[in-house]
Amino acid sequence: QVQLVESGGGLVQAGGSLRLSCAASGSIFSITTLSWYRQAPGKQREALADISSGGNTNYAGSVKGRFTISRDNAKNTVYLQMNSLKPEDTAVYICNAIQRGRHYWGQGTQVTVSS
């Protein structure tokens, strides 16, 4: 079992920045891909960014150039640096880990961007 705990959400003005963290614990051996998703009210969950164990990254078009995903394997933590935030970025941001083909999810952290 893998447990994921997100932190760093909050209220920010448009144009501002936030850095989200997701700490993994439990049976973390062989975690491969770590990802960030978000879900806004009434919308489907959206994949934002992922990072492999080797550090390769992928981004959704909606956040590319504004968000940066990174991971610290020594701390078992994945980060999402979010810059140039827009009101439409308002959502619950959720961490995901893949281990041996199984997905684990965190509870999420709320990000609210005011105009």
Side-chain angles (χ1 to χ4, degrees), residues 6-28:
E6 301 95 337
S7 61
L11 174 64
V12 64
Q13 287 190 332
S17 299
L18 280 175
R19 188 194 195 205
L20 306 182
S21 300
C22 172
S25 62
S27 204
I28 59 175

Side-chain angles (χ1 to χ4, degrees), residues 1-4 24-35 51 53 71 76 96-105:
Q1 289 287 336
V2 175
Q3 293 81 44
L4 301 170
S25 62
S27 204
I28 59 175
F29 183 73
S30 294
I31 288 178
T32 54
T33 303
L34 290 163
S35 306
I51 184 166
S53 56
R71 67 192 284 174
N76 302 314
N96 170 276
I98 300 175
Q99 183 191 57
R100 297 190 184 95
R102 182 172 179 178
H103 287 253
Y104 295 89
W105 298 92

Side-chain angles (χ1 to χ4, degrees), residues 43-91:
K43 294 188 177 181
Q44 288 190 334
R45 187 168 292 188
E46 177 188 11
L48 301 177
D50 62 70
I51 184 166
S52 69
S53 56
N56 295 317
T57 59
N58 293 290
Y59 295 93
S62 58
V63 304
K64 196 170 187 178
R66 299 190 298 126
F67 292 8
T68 302
I69 190 171
S70 60
R71 67 192 284 174
D72 185 333
N73 290 328
K75 295 183 178 180
N76 302 314
T77 300
V78 61
Y79 305 96
L80 188 67
Q81 177 67 43
M82 305 187 296
N83 299 326
S84 303
L85 283 162
K86 307 173 183 179
E88 52 263 44
D89 292 319
T90 295

